[in-house]
Amino acid sequence: MENYDVVVIGAGVLGLSAGYSIARQGARVLILDKGRVGYEASSRAMGFQSLRGENPPEIPLAAVANDLWHTLDEELGYPTEWTPSGRLWVALNDEELADFRRTAALWQSHQLPVRMIDAAEVRELVPALTDRVVGGLFTERGGHANPQRTTQAFGWACRDRGGIIRELTPALGIEVRQDRVVGVRTTAGIVGAKSVVICAGPQTPLLAKSIGIDVPLVAARLEACITAPVPPLFSTAMVANGLSVRQTGRGNILFCGGPHEWVDVDLTSEPAKPTSAIVQGEARRLLELLPNLKSVPLLRTWAGIVEVSPDHACILERAKAPEGLIIASASGHGIGLAPALGRVIGELALGAAPSIPVESLSLDRFASLSSDWASERRWVAGEYNT
Amino acid sequence: MNSHRVVVIGAGLAGCCAALEAAKRDFNVTLIDEHPQAPSSMSLDAPYFYGARLPATLSDAGAVADRVLGANALLLDCLDAGVEVLTNTCVWANLMPGPNLLYTDEKRLGLADGERSWFLPYDDLIIATGARDLVLSFPGWQLPGVLGAQAAGALLTRYQALGGTKAVVLGSGNVGLRLARQLLDAGIEVAAVVEVAASVRGDPALQAGLVAAGVAFHTSSVIDSAIGEQQVRAVRVCALDQQGLPVPGSEECIDCDTVCIAIGVVPNLELAAQSGCKATYDAARGGWVPETDDCGRSSLEHIYVVGEAAGVCDKGVLDSVQHLERARRAAVAIGTPQGAEWKPTTASAAAPLAADAPNEWLRALLAQGGLSVVLCQCEEVTRGEYIALEAPRYLQPSERRRAGPIDASNRASQDFVKRMTRCGMGHCQGRRCRDHAALLLAHANGQPVGSIVPGSFRAPVRPLPLSAIAGPDESEAVSRTWPIWFQPLNEGEMG
């Protein structure tokens, strides 16, 4: 039987970042995926990096991630297209502006460098914006990257350091002996491991459940669109008019947002990711924001399946039992937090103390959560916008 | 007329025939066709490879509409039969309830003209979207005057706006021979038909007619390049030896202003694939085809695929009888349950690769042009960059470190290689390079092209300006509940 120090389940950005940090320390690591590297949410994401002020337990991770991003290309040896041009939230009416003021106060209470800016300053950052802009919220910190290239960069860097990535090999369960993980059961047999990391995105609760651990995560389908390339218009990562918008390194305008639909997944198949009529609304909202784009062709739409926890924050758990099991989910913040999350997951998997405080992200915080929480909130397949 | 709505997409022979039959059976029938197209959509090379020379006469929308509609007698029959006909209207998506999309039980098509988009609900759908050219590249293929045979045929016979006077046709299958005939009939000189094989592939009678008209056939030859500055003024052609390898020093120039690529035809699979119909690889039907039975039923109930969209090959392009019969049967089958007996037509046994025209062309073009020829015009990816999985050119040279596949099987996945190289991610949505890229991967990997996992098709299956695809003002309920990253203000409308 093959044996590894660590087997990571899930070759998304979290698993690959974790695998990279484990391989870099000289440990033997295998990363399994049911499909291909970075094929699901990791390559379908916006690629935003935030300071996570709206979710205080994630702030320390986000701060470390922001530092790591600045040198990530050199460290990994592959381009991520990191664009450290800050984060901008645009208000098109006074109600939004008032909302941003409350957000600013909250972020500032955590010493995060965010400030309100007036309409003129917003349009200096994004000159192509509609003149309906009334103001905005801005931070020079944070930015955006190419999620697909970032995920791939972690994959290549992990491979370069001896990590093994095995595609098209779904994990089916965790092997436990005397209260300690000993391996992972896959469609191609059992692989031995001293530690196992489950960071399989929406499949994470299914794998954890097989050894009696409840992980409160539910998956949703979100939709995104991209235009043909246009000359450089703006470089900041923008949230406006119900959309997240960025211009890619190639010049395409990438935008996503709007209604989500809750979905179920299984362990072995690629979930269906249909596009819906929402794309019409997304396109209209983008044009309301950037009216000069009206003759630019929309080239592609797609959907991604992303898992969300009850409080929208990451989950980072070193299980009390069985020993040697780590459970991780970024709850939709994977690309931005990946450099820091991967580092901490690696530390936990190798039995070290975490270098970033993550105690408040463990499963303990859900101790009082009702076992029917998902149906109570109507976060169940077929429901939407709940 | 009953209220059961049958929508037919594509007003070619098969589509019109299906629409007429459905109308006869008293269904509420709508027939949709994207022609006559505006020059702005033609310039995105959809559905055909029109190339970079679109004559100014195409801007006269009124005159163009008269010509295109006037050239389609069956379409006028459909109007007489009470079919609702929507021309200059493209279908950019088939939006259906299904796995992970349960919020609606309505099946509907996303339609658009140059100005706006809207949705059309349907009960049954007949896809008759035809076929397009299989395009392989050579130096100079970006020049105005280079185009696909289907595009040339459409511009010539329907739009009456080809804009050339002297053409060279690449490929001597029936597509090439038929086009050469049409060119001659339109008063355009055919300077040569170039063919990599040692003999002409197509119908001998067609060939004889062309020879009699003085058309020169250059067999055992391959195009080296199209030459010109502002547009094509000649092609350089090179002889091939018995092994199919270029003979050094054999290059000769042939003056022309138009080069038509007639190497192969492939079914327009995008709408069937975007809908989720199962597809299979069948070389005898033009490559990837939707699985259908002999009534055109696809793997999805209420969706039929007929005509060349269900399968086409060079040998079959002159024979429309079977297409018409299947189109009629599809209309007859509407309303009968698909049942458990649905069995798709099985793929024919694969022809040996050597007998396969596109592969022979690929090998000759590779041998003559090499790996530095551009494969993807939109994103400027060469053949060599593609098979080496090189990072795209917008990255700095220092960032374009070659990283290669993670898993050896990555190079068998067209989606994976697309993500690495961006080949096929530009404004033509991969229509110009997808088939070339698949053949190239198969060649580089030494595997049959049918075992390359093809790239996915997603909405919109036509590149549409944002202003056209943008919906009308959303309802107050949608505005109120439009969420920002899982934060709906209230649960509510889906949008």
Side-chain angles (χ1 to χ4, degrees):
Chain A
M1 188 174 74
E2 280 182 280
N3 271 291
Y4 294 88
D5 295 319
V6 184
V7 172
V8 177
I9 306 173
V13 72
L14 231 55
L16 295 168
S17 175
Y20 161 74
S21 100
I22 293 164
R24 200 178 55 152
Q25 301 196 38
R28 298 186 64 241
V29 60
L30 170 73
I31 306 175
L32 297 170
D33 201 278
K34 69 172 174 37
R36 297 208 177 272
V37 164
Y39 196 79
E40 295 286 351
S42 296
S43 58
R44 296 162 193 271
M46 276 307 290
F48 281 7
Q49 202 268 323
S50 162
L51 301 180
R52 304 299 311 140
E54 63 272 49
N55 223 322
E58 293 185 347
I59 291 174
L61 273 173
V64 173
N66 191 240
D67 288 343
L68 292 173
W69 267 108
H70 294 307
T71 52
L72 196 60
D73 286 22
E74 296 93 282
E75 186 183 334
L76 300 180
Y78 302 92
T80 61
E81 300 178 33
W82 169 238
T83 309
S85 300
R87 297 288 313 271
L88 172 68
W89 289 260
V90 178
L92 297 184
N93 56 51
D94 292 338
E95 201 183 329
E96 287 180 329
L97 207 55
D99 205 31
F100 291 171
R101 286 203 188 93
R102 285 187 289 274
T103 304
L106 173 69
W107 285 46
Q108 284 154 358
S109 73
H110 293 285
Q111 288 76 50
L112 296 174
V114 63
R115 62 193 165 90
M116 298 298 294
I117 58 177
D118 64 15
E121 203 175 338
V122 171
R123 297 189 60 189
E124 256 170 59
L125 288 164
V126 188
L129 273 176
T130 166
D131 54 17
R132 286 172 49 206
V133 172
V134 297
L137 177 65
F138 182 64
T139 171
E140 274 91 4
R141 307 229 354 242
H144 59 93
N146 178 331
Q148 201 277 324
R149 292 234 158 246
T150 299
T151 305
Q152 197 65 41
F154 277 114
W156 282 317
C158 173
R159 181 200 61 185
D160 293 347
R161 286 157 183 81
I164 297 175
I165 299 163
R166 193 163 298 157
E167 300 183 324
L168 309 177
T169 311
L172 301 173
I174 314 297
E175 293 289 301
V176 177
R177 207 165 299 145
Q178 291 165 346
D179 245 6
R180 167 104 257 116
V181 298
V182 291
V184 174
R185 189 158 40 84
T186 79
T187 50
I190 292 172
V191 188
K194 293 181 192 144
S195 290
V196 171
V197 177
I198 308 177
C199 52
Q203 281 80 13
T204 295
L206 299 176
L207 287 163
K209 188 81 187 167
S210 72
I211 44 169
I213 299 176
D214 278 322
V215 181
L217 286 169
V218 182
R221 178 178 57 82
L222 289 174
E223 299 187 34
C225 309
I226 198 159
T227 70
V230 293
L233 290 178
F234 62 98
S235 63
T236 189
M238 171 163 70
V239 175
N241 205 24
L243 300 176
S244 300
V245 192
R246 74 181 184 98
Q247 185 165 23
T248 67
R250 172 70 177 91
N252 316 70
I253 306 293
L254 168 59
F255 55 109
C256 86
H260 53 267
E261 178 164 344
W262 301 105
V263 303
D264 280 335
V265 296
D266 65 45
L267 282 177
T268 53
S269 54
E270 181 186 343
K273 292 175 281 280
T275 288
S276 78
I278 287 168
V279 42
Q280 229 195 6
E282 290 177 313
R284 190 183 47 71
R285 282 171 172 262
L286 183 74
L287 275 191
E288 285 170 0
L289 261 190
L290 301 165
N292 298 340
L293 296 183
K294 61 180 185 296
S295 57
V296 176
L298 182 76
L299 287 191
R300 283 183 298 283
T301 65
W302 63 89
I305 308 285
V306 60
E307 83 278 12
V308 188
S309 71
D311 57 8
H312 294 222
C314 299
I315 292 173
L316 257 183
E317 169 81 4
R318 173 147 58 185
K320 284 144 205 104
E323 237 182 289
L325 179 70
I326 316 297
I327 297 167
S329 161
S331 191
H333 312 139
I335 298 292
L337 295 178
L341 270 174
R343 173 186 283 189
V344 181
I345 295 168
E347 289 161 351
L348 294 174
L350 295 177
S355 58
I356 308 166
V358 291
E359 296 76 22
S360 58
L361 295 171
S362 79
L363 288 174
D364 289 348
R365 70 188 195 270
F366 303 118
S368 59
L369 195 69
S370 149
S371 58
D372 287 331
W373 70 277
S375 33
E376 284 161 14
R377 294 182 183 200
R378 294 174 52 205
W379 287 19
V380 289
E383 297 278 358
Y384 55 88
N385 271 11
T386 48
Chain B
M1 189 191 293
N2 68 41
S3 61
H4 191 97
R5 188 197 290 270
V6 176
V7 175
V8 182
I9 305 171
L13 279 178
C16 288
C17 175
L20 282 170
E21 187 66 35
K24 206 188 292 177
R25 309 180 85 77
D26 214 27
F27 292 118
N28 176 1
V29 186
T30 302
L31 173 62
I32 302 169
D33 200 80
E34 63 190 310
H35 300 282
Q37 290 183 283
S40 57
S41 38
M42 288 177 153
S43 71
L44 298 171
D45 282 328
Y48 306 129
F49 175 38
Y50 289 110
R53 181 182 69 198
L54 290 168
T57 52
L58 287 168
S59 325
D60 184 349
V64 166
D66 285 348
R67 284 184 215 136
V68 173
L69 302 180
N72 194 341
L74 274 175
L75 189 70
L76 304 178
D77 292 348
C78 289
L79 279 169
D80 287 343
V83 173
E84 181 191 21
V85 174
L86 303 175
T87 55
N88 182 27
T89 302
C90 75
V91 179
W92 52 270
N94 180 15
L95 304 172
M96 293 187 300
N100 296 346
L101 206 170
L102 300 172
Y103 79 91
T104 171
D105 54 10
E106 190 178 61
K107 308 190 288 281
R108 49 188 181 165
L109 297 172
L111 306 186
D113 58 19
E115 306 290 314
R116 64 185 189 108
S117 67
W118 67 98
F119 295 111
L120 178 69
Y122 66 88
D123 295 302
D124 281 275
L125 181 64
I126 300 180
I127 297 175
T129 47
R132 60 187 166 79
D133 295 293
L134 186 150
V135 177
L136 301 180
S137 67
F138 44 84
W141 73 303
Q142 301 97 324
L143 282 171
V146 179
L147 75 173
Q150 306 276 329
L155 287 175
L156 202 57
T157 60
R158 289 191 264 166
Y159 288 84
Q160 298 171 30
L162 181 64
T165 57
K166 191 172 185 181
V168 167
V169 176
L170 306 180
S172 72
N174 287 329
V175 170
L177 300 185
R178 180 179 59 184
L179 178 67
R181 185 73 257 169
Q182 289 170 334
L183 287 163
L184 290 176
D185 291 347
I188 294 167
E189 188 181 341
V190 178
V193 174
V194 178
E195 171 57 56
V196 293
S199 57
V200 171
R201 293 176 194 273
D203 181 61
L206 259 176
Q207 180 197 357
L210 294 169
V211 170
V215 172
F217 281 81
H218 295 243
T219 51
S220 294
S221 298
V222 69
I223 184 167
D224 166 85
S225 53
I227 304 163
E229 290 73 39
Q230 304 304 315
Q231 69 153 355
V232 175
R233 60 178 169 76
V235 291
R236 188 178 291 126
V237 170
C238 169
L240 300 170
D241 66 17
Q242 281 180 340
Q243 277 72 50
L245 295 173
V247 178
S250 68
E251 288 87 354
E252 62 174 304
C253 275
I254 304 170
D255 287 347
C256 64
D257 57 18
T258 303
V259 181
C260 303
I261 304 174
I263 290 169
V265 268
V266 285
N268 277 323
L269 180 67
E270 55 261 54
L271 194 65
Q274 183 269 322
S275 302
C277 298
K278 281 188 195 156
T280 187
Y281 187 85
D282 185 356
R285 281 186 283 165
W288 285 96
V289 292
E291 291 187 359
T292 51
D293 68 6
D294 58 6
C295 299
R297 285 191 177 103
S298 74
S299 62
L300 295 175
E301 195 145 21
H302 305 297
I303 298 183
Y304 300 75
V305 189
V306 300
E308 295 189 331
V312 59
C313 68
D314 191 75
K315 289 265 183 286
V317 293
L318 302 180
D319 172 24
S320 49
V321 174
Q322 52 158 351
H323 289 316
L324 297 182
E325 178 52 23
R326 263 165 62 107
R328 202 189 57 77
R329 279 209 296 266
V332 171
I334 285 172
T336 61
Q338 183 135 332
E341 303 99 84
W342 176 77
K343 276 206 183 62
T345 313
T346 43
S348 13
L353 281 186
D356 173 358
N359 264 302
E360 281 183 38
W361 274 93
L362 179 79
R363 282 197 298 272
L365 287 165
L366 266 175
Q368 179 63 13
L371 291 174
S372 62
V373 177
V374 168
L375 160 67
C376 169
Q377 276 190 31
C378 302
E379 300 289 321
E380 286 186 87
V381 182
T382 66
R383 291 180 188 139
E385 288 167 335
Y386 184 70
I387 57 178
L389 271 64
E390 254 178 66
R393 291 189 186 195
Y394 69 86
L395 294 169
Q396 298 302 313
S398 62
E399 297 175 327
R400 294 184 66 205
R401 177 172 164 192
R402 185 175 299 178
I406 287 281
D407 183 299
S409 69
N410 287 161
R411 256 192 4 178
S413 161
Q414 218 174 339
D415 266 341
F416 189 92
V417 183
K418 177 182 88 174
R419 287 166 177 223
M420 293 297 98
T421 61
R422 292 191 70 82
C423 173
M425 294 184 89
H427 63 256
C428 85
Q429 300 182 315
R431 256 175 289 268
R432 293 187 294 212
C433 64
R434 152 187 285 273
D435 311 291
H436 183 178
L439 287 168
L440 198 59
L441 278 184
H443 182 85
N445 298 354
Q447 63 183 113
V449 65
S451 65
I452 299 290
V453 182
S456 58
F457 290 97
R458 298 205 59 97
V461 298
R462 290 288 178 270
L464 290 171
L466 280 168
S467 58
I469 213 156
D473 284 351
E474 62 199 25
S475 71
E476 193 271 330
V478 172
S479 296
R480 195 179 64 243
T481 59
W482 184 274
I484 298 177
W485 197 246
F486 295 111
Q487 308 275 7
L489 300 175
N490 287 291
E491 62 191 82
E493 300 292 310
M494 193 59 177

